[in-house]
Amino acid sequence: MFAKRAGSSGRAAGAWLAVAIAITAVAPAHAAGEADLAPIRAEVAKRHGEALARLRDWIAQPAIAAEDRGFPAGAGHMARLAREAGFQHVQVIPTDGKPGVFATLDAGAPRTVGLYFMYDVKQFDPAEWSSPPLEARIVDKPDLGKVLVGRGAVNQKGPQAALLAALHAIRGAGRKPPVNLVLVAEGEEEIGSPHIGQIVRRPEVLAALRRSVGVFMPAAMQDAEGVVTVSLGAKGVVELELVASGEKWGRGPSKDVHSSLKAMVDSPAWHLVKALDTLVGDDGNTIAIEGYPQPRPLGAAERAMIAQGAARRDEARTKQQLGVKRWIDDLPWPQANERLVSQPTVNIEGLVGGYTGPGGKTVLPHRAVAKLDLRLVPGMRKDAAVAALKAHLAKRGFGDIEVNVSGGYDPTETAADAPLIQAQLATLRKAGIEPLLWPRNAGSYPGYVFTGEPLKLAAGHFGLGHGGGAHAPDEYYLIESTHPKVRGFDGATMSFVEYLYELAR
Amino acid sequence: MFAKRAGSSGRAAGAWLAVAIAITAVAPAHAAGEADLAPIRAEVAKRHGEALARLRDWIAQPAIAAEDRGFPAGAGHMARLAREAGFQHVQVIPTDGKPGVFATLDAGAPRTVGLYFMYDVKQFDPAEWSSPPLEARIVDKPDLGKVLVGRGAVNQKGPQAALLAALHAIRGAGRKPPVNLVLVAEGEEEIGSPHIGQIVRRPEVLAALRRSVGVFMPAAMQDAEGVVTVSLGAKGVVELELVASGEKWGRGPSKDVHSSLKAMVDSPAWHLVKALDTLVGDDGNTIAIEGYPQPRPLGAAERAMIAQGAARRDEARTKQQLGVKRWIDDLPWPQANERLVSQPTVNIEGLVGGYTGPGGKTVLPHRAVAKLDLRLVPGMRKDAAVAALKAHLAKRGFGDIEVNVSGGYDPTETAADAPLIQAQLATLRKAGIEPLLWPRNAGSYPGYVFTGEPLKLAAGHFGLGHGGGAHAPDEYYLIESTHPKVRGFDGATMSFVEYLYELAR
């Protein structure tokens, strides 16, 4: 995932959650309507091997936009998967970047649901993996069961393959899907979805999506204890580099020179430090960019959700997982969670300038770079944030510093009473899970193309099952669960069946 | 060279000079006393092949402290070279780091001269070289002649080998050296000479050096036009890392976490930026460290030297070589040179924090590092500068930021009327060269062990000849010169013979 979303747990596992606590199942495992799905459940079990082979085959063929690897093959593969799952109309859509895939499945149903897929995966270094990242081997994982290890296992091929398996099983049981489907798949999610608008905003795609009740991305929403959090949105994000260089500045050197020259030559690295210093207050947290868009304050309902989540979550365990002793401003746990949900951020992802190896080297660098990410909350737009940053820098005497935006998008939000969300809650409760509601992920995903103008649809993630290691080595997706509250691959597949039937009600 | 010194021209060629302009030879080539050296000159020519083989053999066996490569063999090799050149007493001196070598040559002369050698060389990457760095091949270089290419060629094995060749030639001519010699060699110059004090401050070494008129390091002082600058000192330097970490701070994470957490977790990277910001003024040049040692202002004689040097040097060519359009504060050329010589610096060598690869990565780094070098001028001491920096950081709320000093030393200065310097000027003038005098190098070398307490000796560099590429690929030393004003290896060797005889006068 480009930033961070519900349903995946990478290096920063637990990060976006700020909410998870084990909740005991209370509803009976077999709820109303369950009988109708028995033939499909049988098909899911029967087709387990076939579905797993489909996933393993998909993982074996990675598409990685950052490395220009696996294109256009990845789009062709995605199109074939859609066709085989029953989509009657499947179309590869060129963009200025990597192609997308648009597909529709007309089940003759009264209701239509949108699906958002990504067919690309994050880069990987096989040397860091204990199991080859493209072989999708099945390995034992203590306290979980048998997991499939591979790049894309949970982010996002595994859950997406489970959704496709659900469609195969429904057809295998002699049924039509209970809803019509509109699929939008992109191949650039891991680089910030720079061209998703070119896919979604085509007239035929907009027209198809307009008929839907909303759009969801298949995900593995269960944590290792089985807890599920339903999020009503996500922050927006801007990723950018601030580049100070002697060349653009007109001061300092145009190549690295000996550091003794610092006595007569200006330093682009200091120029960058001085520029950075103006962006945030002394605490490193308060945003000090002049004219920066202001966040919309939390509403009462949002505060209530956060209070509920914070009350049920283990602060000490979270601190321990993150290696954090104090929250910003020494805030108490509930307020720290409010800050997490409600506040925009200006974060330094990386600093790179001059000599970066071991020890020292007496150079005066000609160039220094700060990699920033800016998280945006409702009330803020990406373009306005970037414009304010540029104007601020120019006004403060740093107009020469390049602001190179590499990706990002507006925040996403969906109302709790949207049918897409209500169907999730109903499905989860029928499965014996009382989910936590959460106002928005502190991380980001490009849901804005669905929730923003012109579509203004509901959007979210859904799917039982569990995985981890997104963006990290040994990424995994749970196939056979030994934990009674956590679903394996077939259980995840059934969660999609259950959700589609719930959406059709 | 650890920092930058007279007589070598590395990546930042021309940097320390701020002075070079071709000066026409005015004195006759054969001055007084020349006749006495004819037999030695003949020996130098006769032994050219032998001396070159000695240099090539030395280059083939590098000692690199940063890589712990070539120790203790490098010290043993140095000791053997001294013994073979006629030093009667040769002693390898252990230190807490790499061993040094102390040697004395008693010629029964009334006067004694100290020699400072380094037997280590800078790291190198053979892939960047056009000629293998340890093979010391002879290659043609346009406008210069035949040069020897190898790591250490000019920094500092070539000039040191020429001095040894001078001793062999004197003995070959049936003479004793005109002065007694005291040699101090170290193997850690390239990492900032952290243990040179443990060599020089041993009682027997101090006693031997106290008898000397001063200490010089063999160097290749001629630029490509033959110009020679005699420098009366060098700035001191401190190399250090400022490290901000969540662990030491007690705020922020103890490992990299997802950047979305920036909304509730403090950022060590911002903490570092805020700390750095306090060290210099808005111009990035004015030092703002509270209680920092103050530089001694330039004296009239120093100003005169700088004015003379600046007037005779090509500002436009210097700017072009460095890729610089404006000096600090848009200073005119003479004032920029005064600033170069007189001002201490706080320079950022490197910034390293979080994700430093291509593109972005949404992390909140747990650690960020600024690599700094601080240049010191007379009136300032290394220990006082470090103490002031630490106190300043503590007072401003950054006491958690580690100040890890990796090397450095006090500034060095020698009076123009010291016999060591006057003998240089006389030797150069007899060779037809009118040298430029310069108050001090903007770069640094560890001459403080000789010029500071307790010895308070004169110290400097000396040697005709030319080389380049110190610390860079294709480092070279001129062997056979095609330029009438630039000396090759035998000419460099003779410059040491001439200097030793001049020192004996």
Side-chain angles (χ1 to χ4, degrees):
Chain A
M1 59 220 153
F2 171 58
K4 192 77 191 177
R5 80 168 61 82
S8 57
S9 52
R11 288 188 207 272
W16 67 272
L17 274 172
V19 70
I21 192 171
I23 301 170
T24 313
V26 285
H30 294 266
E34 169 69 1
D36 297 334
L37 303 182
I40 299 173
R41 189 184 307 276
E43 282 292 313
V44 167
K46 189 176 113 190
R47 294 167 181 272
H48 176 85
E50 168 196 315
L52 218 59
R54 189 183 300 118
L55 171 56
R56 299 188 63 191
D57 184 45
W58 200 3
I59 287 174
Q61 298 170 63
I64 301 175
E67 297 176 350
D68 195 20
R69 174 178 179 182
F71 300 93
H77 195 109
M78 180 73 250
R80 181 163 58 78
L81 288 173
R83 226 176 280 117
E84 291 172 0
F87 286 82
Q88 300 102 343
H89 173 84
V90 181
Q91 186 182 346
V92 173
I93 299 196
T95 74
D96 291 341
K98 304 306 179 192
V101 175
F102 165 58
T104 53
L105 188 162
D106 182 358
R111 197 162 286 169
T112 298
V113 174
L115 291 169
Y116 165 57
F117 273 37
M118 57 186 278
Y119 68 81
D120 62 323
V121 296
K122 193 71 183 173
Q123 303 99 294
F124 57 91
D125 176 1
E128 298 176 346
W129 291 60
S130 69
S131 173
L134 300 184
E135 290 188 15
R137 291 186 189 165
I138 304 293
V139 306
D140 281 314
K141 200 167 175 82
D143 301 327
L144 277 173
K146 291 193 187 304
V147 303
L148 180 150
V149 176
R151 175 50 87 224
V154 67
N155 174 213
Q156 204 74 1
K157 287 177 173 174
Q160 292 170 169
L163 185 130
L164 296 174
L167 300 181
H168 282 273
I170 291 169
R171 190 173 50 192
R175 307 258 188 104
K176 282 186 175 177
V179 291
N180 311 312
L181 295 170
V182 178
L183 169 68
V184 173
E186 68 158 319
E188 298 184 320
E189 203 272 352
E190 295 293 5
I191 58 166
S193 308
H195 301 103
I196 193 168
Q198 293 181 13
I199 305 167
V200 172
R201 286 173 190 144
R202 283 171 73 107
E204 69 271 30
V205 180
L206 283 178
L209 285 170
R210 274 205 179 95
R211 288 190 288 270
S212 73
V213 296
V215 181
F216 77 94
M217 178 175 230
M221 295 174 86
Q222 292 188 282
D223 73 9
E225 303 299 321
V227 178
V228 173
T229 302
V230 172
S231 180
L232 300 176
K235 290 187 185 177
V237 68
V238 186
E239 266 195 281
L240 61 89
E241 288 189 345
L242 296 184
V243 183
S245 70
E247 204 170 1
K248 282 275 165 64
W249 191 16
R251 308 196 72 88
S254 64
K255 58 185 175 186
D256 288 4
V257 297
H258 194 268
S259 71
S260 59
L261 287 158
K262 181 64 188 70
M264 71 194 305
V265 176
D266 292 293
S267 161
W270 276 120
H271 191 52
L272 179 69
V273 167
K274 289 289 166 182
L276 286 172
D277 182 68
T278 68
L279 301 184
V280 298
D282 283 345
D283 58 5
N285 299 316
T286 312
I287 298 175
I289 301 168
E290 215 178 309
Y292 204 64
Q294 291 303 305
R296 197 184 63 204
L298 289 175
E302 292 171 321
R303 283 185 197 279
M305 285 181 215
I306 295 167
Q308 194 174 18
R312 294 168 70 187
R313 190 178 176 225
D314 189 335
E315 178 180 12
R317 204 179 87 184
T318 307
K319 280 185 166 171
Q320 196 231 322
Q321 280 173 346
L322 299 175
V324 168
K325 288 178 188 152
R326 293 176 185 83
W327 307 116
I328 282 177
D329 297 334
D330 293 325
L331 289 174
W333 183 227
Q335 285 68 45
N337 277 281
E338 287 194 358
R339 200 182 194 295
L340 177 69
V341 170
S342 66
Q343 291 306 300
T345 62
V346 175
N347 175 59
I348 296 177
E349 297 179 350
L351 289 171
V352 202
Y355 177 70
T356 58
K361 188 174 175 185
T362 48
V363 294
L364 164 52
H366 74 291
R367 189 173 186 274
V369 177
K371 296 167 186 281
L372 303 186
D373 62 53
L374 321 175
R375 302 277 170 184
L376 310 173
V377 299
M380 307 173 73
R381 300 291 294 272
K382 176 194 167 193
D383 291 347
V386 172
L389 173 62
K390 286 182 177 173
H392 168 93
L393 288 172
K395 187 170 173 185
R396 299 292 286 265
F398 302 103
D400 59 286
I401 291 184
E402 293 170 69
V403 179
N404 297 331
V405 176
S406 58
Y409 29 74
D410 293 337
T412 301
E413 54 180 344
T414 287
D417 60 3
L420 192 86
I421 302 299
Q422 289 299 314
Q424 291 196 6
L425 302 180
T427 305
L428 292 167
R429 286 174 184 138
K430 284 180 186 169
I433 294 169
E434 183 57 41
L436 285 168
L437 266 180
W438 196 245
R440 76 182 60 93
N441 295 341
S444 309
Y445 91 107
Y448 80 101
V449 279
F450 308 117
T451 62
E453 296 286 356
L455 287 170
K456 297 183 94 50
L457 292 168
H461 291 75
F462 185 78
L464 290 178
H466 170 73
H471 291 202
D474 292 342
E475 180 179 351
Y476 69 92
Y477 187 49
L478 184 59
I479 303 300
E480 289 179 37
S481 176
T482 55
H483 190 301
K485 290 180 192 154
V486 185
R487 289 205 188 176
F489 185 80
D490 289 354
T493 301
M494 276 311 295
S495 77
F496 292 117
V497 172
E498 292 151 10
Y499 184 40
L500 294 180
Y501 274 87
E502 191 62 43
L503 281 163
R505 284 161 72 102
Chain B
M1 58 217 154
F2 173 58
K4 193 78 191 177
R5 81 169 61 81
S8 59
S9 52
R11 289 186 208 271
W16 66 272
L17 274 172
V19 67
I21 192 170
I23 301 168
T24 312
V26 285
H30 293 266
E34 170 68 1
D36 297 335
L37 304 183
I40 299 172
R41 188 183 307 277
E43 281 294 311
V44 168
K46 189 177 115 189
R47 293 166 181 272
H48 175 85
E50 167 196 316
L52 217 60
R54 188 183 301 117
L55 171 56
R56 297 188 65 190
D57 184 45
W58 200 4
I59 287 174
Q61 297 171 64
I64 301 176
E67 298 176 350
D68 195 20
R69 174 179 178 183
F71 299 92
H77 195 109
M78 179 73 251
R80 182 163 57 77
L81 288 173
R83 227 175 280 116
E84 291 173 359
F87 286 82
Q88 299 104 341
H89 174 84
V90 180
Q91 185 180 346
V92 171
I93 298 197
T95 74
D96 291 342
K98 305 306 179 191
V101 175
F102 165 57
T104 52
L105 188 161
D106 182 357
R111 195 160 290 169
T112 298
V113 174
L115 289 170
Y116 166 56
F117 273 36
M118 57 187 276
Y119 69 82
D120 62 323
V121 296
K122 192 73 183 171
Q123 304 98 295
F124 58 89
D125 176 1
E128 299 176 345
W129 291 59
S130 69
S131 174
L134 300 184
E135 290 189 14
R137 289 185 189 166
I138 303 294
V139 306
D140 280 315
K141 200 167 177 83
D143 301 328
L144 277 175
K146 290 190 188 306
V147 303
L148 180 151
V149 176
R151 175 49 87 224
V154 66
N155 174 210
Q156 205 74 357
K157 288 177 173 175
Q160 292 170 169
L163 186 129
L164 296 174
L167 300 182
H168 282 274
I170 290 169
R171 188 172 53 190
R175 309 256 188 102
K176 283 187 174 177
V179 292
N180 310 313
L181 295 170
V182 178
L183 169 68
V184 173
E186 69 159 319
E188 298 184 320
E189 202 275 351
E190 296 293 6
I191 58 166
S193 307
H195 301 103
I196 193 169
Q198 293 182 12
I199 305 167
V200 172
R201 286 173 191 145
R202 284 171 73 107
E204 67 271 31
V205 180
L206 283 179
L209 285 171
R210 275 206 179 94
R211 288 190 288 269
S212 74
V213 297
V215 182
F216 78 94
M217 178 175 230
M221 295 175 85
Q222 292 188 283
D223 73 9
E225 303 299 319
V227 178
V228 173
T229 302
V230 172
S231 181
L232 300 177
K235 290 187 184 176
V237 69
V238 186
E239 266 194 282
L240 60 90
E241 288 189 345
L242 295 184
V243 182
S245 70
E247 204 170 359
K248 283 276 165 65
W249 191 15
R251 309 195 71 87
S254 64
K255 58 187 175 184
D256 288 4
V257 297
H258 194 268
S259 70
S260 59
L261 287 158
K262 180 65 188 68
M264 70 195 304
V265 176
D266 292 292
S267 161
W270 276 121
H271 192 51
L272 179 69
V273 166
K274 290 289 169 184
L276 286 172
D277 182 69
T278 68
L279 302 184
V280 298
D282 284 345
D283 58 4
N285 299 315
T286 312
I287 298 175
I289 302 167
E290 214 178 310
Y292 204 64
Q294 292 302 304
R296 195 183 64 203
L298 288 175
E302 292 171 320
R303 284 186 197 277
M305 286 181 213
I306 295 167
Q308 193 175 20
R312 293 166 72 187
R313 190 174 175 230
D314 189 336
E315 178 180 13
R317 204 180 87 184
T318 308
K319 281 185 166 172
Q320 196 232 323
Q321 279 173 347
L322 299 175
V324 168
K325 288 178 190 150
R326 293 176 187 82
W327 307 117
I328 283 176
D329 296 335
D330 293 325
L331 289 173
W333 183 227
Q335 284 69 43
N337 276 282
E338 286 192 358
R339 201 183 193 295
L340 177 69
V341 170
S342 65
Q343 292 306 300
T345 61
V346 176
N347 176 59
I348 297 177
E349 297 178 351
L351 290 171
V352 203
Y355 177 69
T356 58
K361 189 173 176 188
T362 48
V363 294
L364 164 51
H366 73 291
R367 187 173 188 274
V369 178
K371 295 168 186 280
L372 303 186
D373 62 53
L374 320 175
R375 301 277 170 183
L376 311 173
V377 299
M380 306 173 73
R381 299 290 295 269
K382 175 193 167 195
D383 291 346
V386 172
L389 172 63
K390 287 182 177 173
H392 168 94
L393 288 173
K395 188 170 173 185
R396 299 293 285 266
F398 303 102
D400 58 287
I401 291 184
E402 293 169 67
V403 179
N404 297 331
V405 176
S406 58
Y409 29 74
D410 292 338
T412 303
E413 55 181 343
T414 286
D417 59 4
L420 191 86
I421 302 298
Q422 288 299 313
Q424 291 196 6
L425 302 180
T427 305
L428 292 167
R429 286 176 184 136
K430 284 181 187 169
I433 294 170
E434 182 57 39
L436 284 168
L437 267 180
W438 196 245
R440 78 182 58 92
N441 294 341
S444 309
Y445 92 105
Y448 80 102
V449 278
F450 308 116
T451 62
E453 296 286 353
L455 288 169
K456 298 183 92 52
L457 291 169
H461 291 75
F462 185 77
L464 290 177
H466 169 75
H471 291 203
D474 292 343
E475 180 179 351
Y476 69 92
Y477 187 49
L478 183 59
I479 303 300
E480 290 179 35
S481 176
T482 55
H483 191 302
K485 290 181 190 152
V486 184
R487 290 204 187 176
F489 186 80
D490 288 355
T493 302
M494 276 311 296
S495 77
F496 293 117
V497 174
E498 292 151 10
Y499 185 40
L500 295 180
Y501 274 88
E502 191 62 43
L503 282 163
R505 283 162 73 101

